[in-house]
Each structure stands twice: as C-alpha cells, then as structure tokens.
Amino acid sequence: MINILANDGISESAIELLREKGFNVTNEHINQDSLAESINKNNYEVILVRSATKIRKELIDKCPSIKLIGRGGVGMDNIDVEYAIDKGIKVINTPKASSLSVAELVFAHLFGMVRSLYDSNRKMPMDGEKDFKKLKKSYSSGKELFGKTIGIIGFGRIGQEVARIAIALGMKVLAHDKTISEANITIKFYDDSKKTFTIETDPINTVLEQSDFITLHIPKIDDKPVISAKEIKLMKTGAGIINTSRGGLIDEDILMFSLEKKKLAYAALDVFSNEPTPSIHLLMQENISLTPHIGAATREAQERVGIELAEKIIKFYNKK
Ligand code: NAD
C-alpha cells in the first residue's frame, strides 16, 4: 500500500478519492523537526504540503522513500524543486485552483479600503457608542471603485482573474507583465451570456503613474523588492496598493513612510516579509488593511486543490 502524508491538511473529498483508489492517507501535521523521522518510520512515498511545511534538500536526502511531493497551491518557494527532480522525485502543484479566491480577496481589501472598513471595524467596538458622530465624520470621505483605474502588476492567472472582476465592476484595467503582452478576459454573466475584452499590457511606469490602485500578482524571485521608493514616487498621490502575492515584494519600511507622509492613502497586505512574525510597526499602522496570508484559504479553493492533487497522484501511480 502507498502511504501519503498530508502535512498541511487536505480536503475530505480528496482523502475519500485517494482511499477509494487504495492509498493510505494520513492527514495530520508533523512538526518540521520530527518530519524526516516520521516519513522514514511510516514509509511515506507521497508528502503533500501547502506553504507551511518546508521540503528542503536535507529532508529529501534523509528520506529515500519519497517519490512524490505535492504542493497544494502555486508558490513552490518552500520546496527545493530542482533538487527533488534531480533525485528522481516527481513534484506537482495546483496552480489554478486558488486564483479566483485570491482575486476576490483583492476586492475584499479594495472595498474595505475605500470606505475605511478596516479602521471602522477596529474603532466601532471601542468608541462607537460615545463617539458615533466623530467616527461618522472621520469616515465620510469614502470613494467608489466604479470608474477608477486598477493597475495589475503580473498578468498571469490571478492577475487576469482580478481584471475580470474589475471590468465587471466598471473599473478601467491597466496591466504590466514581464512576458505577457495581451490577454483575453472573458466575463460570464448570470444568464450564461459572455463578453470578452482584450487587455494589452503596458510598461510598468505607465501602470504605476496612471492607476488609482496597484495590485501585485508576481512571484518572488529574489530578496529585492519590486515596489520601492522609486516606484511609489511614480504612483498617484492618494493611491492605494495591495499585496496578496509574496511578502517582501513591497519594501515595507518605504510603504510605512509613504502612508505616514500621505503619498499613499491606503495599503492592504495579505503577505509579509517576515512571516509568520510580521513587523509589529506594520501591523500597528493606520491605513493598512490586514489579513494573515489567507488568499487561497476558501473552502472552494481548498476543495479544488485537494481534488486536483488527488487526481494527479492517481495519474502518477496510474490507478484506473
Ligand atoms: P502566474 O505564474 O500565473 O503569473 C505570474 C505572472 O507574473 C507571470 O505572467 C509572469 O510573467 C509575471 N511576472 C513575473 N515576474 C514579474 C515582474 N518582475 N514584473 C512583471 N511581471 C512579472 O502566477 P499566479 O498564479 O497568478 O500567482 C501570482 C502570485 O500569487 C504568486 O507569487 C503566488 O505565490 C501568489 N499567491 C498568493 C496566495 C495567497 O494566499 N496570498 C495564493 C496563491 C498565489
């Protein structure tokens, strides 16, 4: 029997699908320090992770039983992929399963930003009873998203989902991508009708200069931030920026400075440089809408992730 360890959780339907095909699935979290020992003791051939568990070359070297590593999600920065492949281990991920969930989180932050919901939700429980009128006044210059321009940096899977929602909301879309020059964005309506828009990408400076909101959907290649002082300087005064991609893509110190100096009006972060212990200064900043890396964490996305992983494992072992 083939033993599978799902170390960062997997959906019940995926477990059921795998068990039906005769796999033995353990859905529990083993601490990073004890992982190699547990893999060897239980002869796990397949290890499934999300972003929490790290599969580095030391672990790969210690665990010769591993034949397949599965990442539920997109980013593979927690896995030494090339090393694993060199050792003959198959590495799979589920790149498409969570795109819509991440894109929807962008708009959760955006709608919250322009009406100061993040701040109102912090202050209403404490001060709403005694200072209702004062709070009402302080949140009285909200904005609508309709008609505003969103600048999407990274026009891959998630960037294009963001464009789809933005167009449906009546926003103008600008996009920049290192390799993609245009994309067809199809919006499906409730009555099954469709409309397709072709968006051509622009140089990054155009996108930074002309957008009311910038949202990042690029991978993290190295430690150098993609958005730093030079890029923020190009942005409109009073613009907002959202990072649901990877911590460190925006220089966090420069971001705080830009908010304090009111160059930027707001920011939203789902990802942080020093996860899982982000800077307290950043967390205490006014004008930042915060979530703890939950972009892909919807039931629907996790369901799709689990099923996609299960199907790929079944295919790998060629079980009819
Ligand atoms: P993707 O590969 O489909 O698209 C990324 C695009 O970025 C590509 O088209 C690529 O050409 C472009 N690109 C790369 N570097 C660039 C640069 N410096 N400037 C401009 N364009 C650049 O990836 P995706 O599925 O859309 O995912 C995007 C990001 O979202 C990834 O970093 C992923 O880790 C992150 N993500 C976060 C969460 C979350 O929970 N918050 C969940 C899923 C994915």
Side-chain angles (χ1 to χ4, degrees):
M1 186 173 290
I2 294 151
N3 296 329
I4 300 176
L5 173 65
N7 207 47
D8 295 330
I10 189 169
S11 67
E12 277 306 317
S13 46
I15 296 175
E16 217 171 284
L17 189 60
L18 287 164
R19 286 187 180 149
E20 267 171 27
K21 297 286 179 189
F23 292 94
N24 179 29
V25 186
T26 305
N27 186 20
E28 66 179 44
H29 183 75
I30 314 284
N31 223 315
Q32 193 75 45
D33 297 340
S34 325
L35 194 54
E37 193 190 330
S38 173
I39 290 172
N40 290 333
K41 193 169 136 214
N42 297 290
N43 198 31
Y44 289 119
E45 276 192 28
V46 178
I47 171 137
L48 304 178
V49 301
R50 288 198 227 163
S51 55
T53 303
K54 297 195 174 25
I55 310 286
R56 296 284 168 231
K57 58 184 187 182
E58 297 74 34
L59 183 102
I60 294 169
D61 283 341
K62 279 187 199 158
C63 303
S65 63
I66 299 179
K67 291 203 169 57
L68 188 149
I69 301 166
R71 157 76 162 103
V74 194
M76 301 278 245
D77 28 0
N78 53 328
I79 302 169
D80 283 338
V81 177
E82 277 176 31
Y83 190 78
I85 294 171
D86 277 352
K87 291 266 163 179
I89 297 169
K90 174 93 174 161
V91 183
I92 56 172
N93 68 347
T94 61
K96 278 190 241 149
S98 54
S99 305
L100 178 58
S101 296
V102 180
E104 287 195 1
L105 184 69
V106 170
F107 288 90
H109 277 297
L110 259 176
F111 277 114
M113 265 179 168
V114 290
R115 305 304 290 270
S116 304
L117 298 191
Y118 54 92
D119 200 47
S120 174
N121 277 329
R122 285 172 195 158
K123 293 196 177 133
M124 282 295 276
M126 301 293 285
D127 306 328
E129 200 180 18
K130 59 178 173 40
D131 286 333
F132 193 90
K133 282 191 174 167
K134 196 173 142 202
L135 290 177
K136 181 173 170 158
K137 194 159 177 254
S138 69
Y139 304 130
S140 63
S141 51
K143 284 186 190 159
E144 294 175 346
L145 294 184
F146 182 87
K148 302 292 186 307
T149 301
I150 188 164
I152 302 169
I153 297 183
F155 207 37
R157 286 172 292 254
I158 299 173
Q160 291 182 30
E161 280 296 344
V162 168
R164 197 182 55 73
I165 301 172
I167 294 169
L169 287 172
M171 299 183 82
K172 183 176 172 201
V173 172
L174 293 177
H176 166 73
D177 195 284
K178 219 161 61 170
T179 57
I180 294 173
S181 56
E182 67 169 41
N184 289 328
I185 307 296
T186 299
I187 304 175
K188 291 187 188 124
F189 296 95
Y190 70 96
D191 59 356
D192 283 342
S193 61
K194 293 179 195 170
K195 184 157 170 62
T196 298
F197 296 80
T198 302
I199 307 274
E200 287 177 14
T201 54
D202 285 302
I204 189 165
N205 287 5
T206 310
V207 175
L208 291 168
E209 282 163 7
Q210 296 184 10
S211 301
D212 299 298
F213 309 102
I214 292 289
T215 181
L216 300 179
H217 301 291
I218 54 184
K220 193 170 175 220
I221 312 270
D222 51 35
D223 284 338
K224 203 170 157 277
V226 173
I227 301 293
S228 194
K230 179 174 145 268
E231 289 73 26
I232 291 180
K233 201 169 167 211
L234 291 174
M235 288 172 67
K236 285 184 183 177
T237 297
I241 189 161
I242 302 146
N243 186 10
T244 58
S245 281
R246 279 289 177 267
L249 285 175
I250 305 177
D251 182 316
E252 292 177 347
D253 292 332
I254 301 280
L255 176 66
M256 286 191 274
F257 182 76
S258 311
L259 290 163
E260 278 158 21
K261 294 285 167 205
K262 307 226 181 308
K263 164 69 187 172
L264 298 181
Y266 11 57
L269 298 174
D270 185 47
V271 288
F272 303 85
S273 281
N274 200 28
E275 289 184 29
T277 49
S279 144
I280 187 72
H281 300 295
L282 198 65
L283 300 180
M284 298 297 286
Q285 267 277 332
E286 280 188 14
N287 301 342
I288 306 190
S289 176
L290 299 158
T291 45
H293 204 150
I294 55 161
T298 62
R299 290 173 189 210
E300 292 86 351
Q302 291 318 310
E303 193 62 31
R304 288 192 293 264
V305 162
I307 296 293
E308 198 176 329
L309 280 179
E311 284 171 348
K312 284 182 172 168
I313 295 165
I314 293 165
K315 193 167 165 215
F316 177 74
Y317 284 99
N318 207 9
K319 298 224 165 202
K320 298 269 179 288

